[in-house]
Amino acid sequence: MQNVQRIEEAASTAYAALYDSPESALSLTRAAAKRVEELCRIDSSLEGLREHLKAADLSLQEASYGLRDYLSGLEANPGRLEEVETRLAALDRLKRKYGASIAEILAFLGEARGRIEAVEHAGERIEELRRSRKRLAAEYEKLAAELTARRAATARKLEKRVEAELAQLAMERTVFRVALAPAEWSAEGADAIAFLVSPNVGEEPRPLERVASGGEVSRIALALKTCLAGPRTTVPRTLVFDEVDAGWAAAPPRAWAAASSAWPRPTRCSA
């Protein structure tokens, strides 16, 4: 479009030289062909030359028609040229700012539209999230309440079993309790669980880590392991308890038997 004037001038000149001027190549060729045809009436040896001139005439006609059609398709439109140049300049500015290619620019456009749409529909999205949060909270509270009820029932059973095991470990007067209290929601439920013990008669059960000695903690741990042990397997295991025998001097032999039978004996033990 920028060179349409030069193109039109060159094509017009070529068309005139071939066809449109009095001294065009086609006019001169036809004049020569006419003279050669007159000569052929006198000398038949010029028949081949006459055929060449006929072929040249056809070729020049084809070339002339081609240039004519080409010229008819040219259109000098300054307004359209300015429009195209303005658009190309705008694309160059976009490339400098948003991407090295049209594809990258369009990708940025898609992302920007997505962000704008998200902002424009933020209120709807927030309301949707609130409804979803309310529904999920209700489901969580229901499941957490079921879990708390099951834990409470299991805790009462565990208390009795642990106290029975402790009686076999020379701690027959120890009170063991499982305390459940509300806690922040988590994947484990909404309960804070603590083990409470009272080693002496008349004392209020308090957190295990505050009142139990090292030997008592070891024996309580042994009792818990015994009560919570899964199905026995053929794989030998070894448990190490620090001071587990502290204060057992007066313990009856059955206490040692209970402790030793709590877990399968290891096949090998090294200090």
Side-chain angles (χ1 to χ4, degrees):
M1 294 181 70
Q2 291 173 339
N3 294 283
V4 65
Q5 185 174 357
R6 290 178 56 192
I7 293 173
E8 186 175 9
E9 289 178 358
S12 297
T13 301
Y15 180 68
L18 285 175
Y19 184 85
D20 202 32
S21 68
E23 295 182 355
S24 67
L26 186 59
S27 297
L28 295 175
T29 300
R30 286 178 176 176
K34 184 176 181 181
R35 295 300 180 183
V36 169
E37 186 173 355
E38 293 176 356
L39 289 172
C40 286
R41 295 174 186 163
I42 302 173
D43 188 352
S44 61
S45 65
L46 297 175
E47 285 290 337
L49 179 59
R50 184 174 65 174
E51 294 301 322
H52 284 303
L53 289 172
K54 286 183 179 180
D57 184 279
L58 291 175
S59 297
L60 289 172
Q61 288 186 64
E62 290 294 330
S64 300
Y65 298 156
L67 282 171
R68 182 193 61 190
D69 294 339
Y70 179 75
L71 282 167
S72 65
L74 292 176
E75 181 181 358
N77 189 339
R80 175 58 179 164
L81 175 60
E82 182 179 359
E83 179 184 348
V84 171
E85 289 179 337
T86 301
R87 180 169 177 80
L88 289 173
L91 290 174
D92 287 337
R93 290 194 300 271
L94 291 173
K95 288 180 180 179
R96 288 195 297 269
K97 191 171 183 180
Y98 300 112
S101 65
I102 299 297
E104 293 181 9
I105 295 173
L106 293 176
F108 180 87
L109 174 63
E111 294 175 2
R113 284 175 173 170
R115 292 195 295 269
I116 293 173
E117 184 178 356
V119 172
E120 290 177 345
H121 297 85
E124 299 175 7
R125 179 58 178 161
I126 290 174
E127 186 60 31
E128 179 184 350
L129 291 173
R130 285 174 178 168
R131 291 194 298 268
S132 178
R133 183 181 183 277
K134 185 177 181 180
R135 175 180 56 81
L136 293 173
E139 293 179 5
Y140 182 92
E141 288 177 345
K142 178 183 177 182
L143 294 173
E146 294 176 359
L147 180 58
T148 299
R150 293 178 62 183
R151 281 173 170 166
T154 304
R156 304 292 80 82
K157 298 177 182 179
L158 180 62
E159 291 170 353
K160 295 179 181 179
R161 291 187 61 187
V162 170
E163 287 180 352
E165 292 294 334
L166 291 175
Q168 298 293 320
L169 302 174
M171 294 180 68
E172 59 275 358
R173 295 184 179 182
T174 300
V175 176
F176 178 80
R177 293 289 181 268
V178 180
L180 276 71
E184 293 184 2
W185 292 2
S186 70
E188 285 74 37
D191 302 313
I193 303 173
F195 291 157
L196 309 179
V197 296
S198 173
N200 303 313
V201 178
E203 291 184 359
E204 188 72 17
R206 290 184 293 171
L208 173 63
E209 66 274 13
R210 294 185 181 180
V211 299
S213 64
E216 290 170 340
V217 169
S218 294
R219 279 178 276 174
I220 293 171
L222 176 59
L224 284 168
K225 286 288 187 181
T226 302
C227 295
L228 300 176
R232 295 193 175 234
T233 67
T234 58
V235 180
R237 290 172 292 179
T238 300
L239 298 177
V240 179
F241 292 95
D242 182 31
E243 300 184 20
V244 72
D245 59 342
W248 280 27
R254 59 189 179 87
W256 289 95
S260 63
S261 63
W263 294 91
R265 294 181 177 276
T267 56
R268 182 176 62 183
C269 180
S270 59

